[in-house]
Amino acid sequence: MELQVQPKLIIHGGAGSSLHGKGGLEAVRRSLHTVIEEVYSLLLSGATASEAVVQGCLMLEDNPRFNAGTGSVLQSDGQIRMSASLMDGASGRFSGVINISRVKNPIDLAQFLQSSPDRVLSDFGSAELAREMQIPSYNALTDLRLQEWIQERQDNFKSTMAGVVAEPELLETSNAGRGTIGVVALDASGKLAAGTSTGGKGFERIGRVSDSAMPAGNYATSNAGVSCTGIGEDIIDECLAARIVVRVTDGMSLKEAMQRSFREANENKRDLGAIALDASGAIAWGKTSEILLAAYHDGEKVGDTLEWTGNELIGYC
Ligand code: ASP
């Protein structure tokens, strides 16, 4: 197939503090690179940006290492409630589900809602939709997440968030980070899309709403697309994804928009990260947290940010 535009792809598996053992790092790298390679080949064979984003989110949701779908963190009452959203930059449509339980892939519902007149559904409505779509009931709980919750309960829920990835060695420091997933794609016809899916920050009170199903945490236009991770309240306060995308839409380069937005987030002492693409094919990532688990395909090679622990706030290529 002849490509009008060289496709680009960037994904993340959360942000937080250190990844601890090398074993964890290599395992996370393998997981992210497998998704990048499979989804990038879809883009090369003509998948739209939205289709690629949904497939990437499905694969990351199915990986118990990340805090989305299977392996989602538990809320304060020991239940899993997940949120996911999809934004198609070409149509300018945002859709999502908030605090849904007992489904395997929340991103499937976000995709379904793209063509619905009611595009963001909360808990009860999203459960009704799952029933209408005849999605089988699914338990996303893993042993590691249950142990993490039991330990937090013994400590009286002192952590601000759950661990970035579910690794046994991370349980000793369960507030190591976050593990939401996100995908941003530029397809062969130059269209952009962004998707984000999460189990939330972990140990939160019932009814807390994550940024992941809001334009603050996931946003795309025909100019740029962004998916965020980190403390949802910080992302909402910065309105980070929309802020970066609007800056690009108003004429800043992606690099400038990321630099300025992350400088501001840092000054405001936020704890967050983001991945981004623009329509010209620029790729960028940023963090105020210690680490960002992101990987990308620039058309020639796969790269990742797993060992990027410096003080710079953004990176790009
Ligand atoms: N942003 C997510 C939330 O606050 C958590 C994360 O990124 O891991 O719900």
Side-chain angles (χ1 to χ4, degrees):
M1 171 189 153
E2 209 186 312
L3 306 174
Q4 284 168 259
V5 170
Q6 179 72 55
K8 300 285 164 92
L9 178 66
I10 185 162
I11 65 176
H12 72 75
S17 54
S18 94
L19 249 185
H20 301 263
K22 270 269 175 203
L25 188 143
E26 284 311 321
V28 170
R29 176 167 282 147
R30 265 197 309 280
S31 300
L32 292 177
H33 286 213
T34 304
V35 176
I36 282 282
E37 263 145 28
E38 184 168 329
V39 177
Y40 196 76
S41 66
L42 281 179
L43 285 167
L44 287 180
S45 58
T48 65
S50 271
E51 288 163 355
V53 164
V54 169
Q55 181 57 26
C57 288
L58 283 171
M59 290 179 77
L60 291 160
E61 285 178 342
D62 287 346
N63 187 329
R65 201 177 289 286
F66 302 113
N67 171 23
T70 307
S72 284
V73 297
L74 278 61
Q75 301 198 334
S76 57
D77 62 342
Q79 298 297 312
I80 290 177
R81 296 181 188 86
M82 301 165 285
S83 298
S85 69
L86 175 65
M87 182 135 189
D88 182 332
S91 64
R93 272 203 203 129
F94 181 96
S95 59
V97 286
I98 296 171
N99 287 330
I100 186 166
S101 302
R102 304 234 150 234
V103 296
K104 185 159 172 275
N105 294 108
I107 196 70
D108 275 342
L109 287 95
Q111 185 183 32
F112 180 89
L113 289 168
Q114 276 283 306
S115 53
S116 157
D118 305 314
R119 277 189 269 114
V120 183
L121 298 183
S122 64
D123 41 21
F124 177 70
S126 56
E128 277 292 295
L129 176 64
R131 196 178 53 80
E132 273 168 46
M133 290 171 70
Q134 301 187 345
I135 295 177
S137 173
Y138 179 78
N139 185 358
L141 181 66
T142 62
D143 277 354
L144 276 173
R145 292 303 192 187
L146 180 59
Q147 282 170 39
E148 193 180 48
W149 184 84
I150 291 170
Q151 193 174 311
E152 273 302 308
R153 186 163 167 261
Q154 276 157 5
D155 297 345
N156 210 15
F157 297 114
K158 278 202 295 289
S159 296
T160 47
M161 288 189 78
V164 62
V165 286
E167 297 287 349
E169 70 262 34
L170 290 184
L171 281 179
E172 295 125 54
T173 51
S174 61
N175 60 346
R178 359 263 167 237
T180 288
I181 65 95
V183 180
V184 186
L186 173 70
D187 68 26
S189 59
K191 300 199 168 94
L192 287 153
T196 306
S197 182
T198 190
K201 43 178 197 184
F203 325 126
E204 61 267 73
R205 63 184 294 159
I206 304 169
R208 182 255 182 189
V209 175
S210 164
D211 63 289
S212 300
M214 291 186 196
N218 189 73
Y219 199 65
T221 62
S222 52
N223 301 98
V226 174
S227 166
C228 301
T229 178
I231 298 206
E233 285 68 7
D234 287 0
I235 296 165
I236 295 167
D237 289 346
E238 293 295 304
C239 202
L240 188 66
R243 189 183 194 110
I244 297 165
V245 170
V246 168
R247 282 183 161 152
V248 174
T249 306
D250 286 349
M252 269 191 198
S253 70
L254 183 65
K255 181 183 160 196
E256 280 169 340
M258 290 286 282
Q259 256 163 353
R260 177 128 172 223
S261 306
F262 274 88
R263 202 175 55 234
E264 290 163 350
N266 199 41
E267 279 162 13
N268 293 333
K269 305 207 168 13
R270 312 294 192 196
D271 188 353
L272 44 74
I275 55 171
L277 292 181
D278 76 7
S280 76
I283 305 178
W285 52 91
K287 62 170 174 62
T288 59
S289 50
E290 258 173 59
I291 55 156
L292 174 69
L293 309 182
Y296 52 86
H297 202 308
D298 66 4
E300 280 173 16
K301 58 180 184 328
V302 178
D304 67 54
T305 66
L306 301 192
E307 280 159 295
W308 173 47
T309 50
N311 289 332
E312 323 88 88
L313 294 170
I314 71 149
Y316 54 92
C317 63

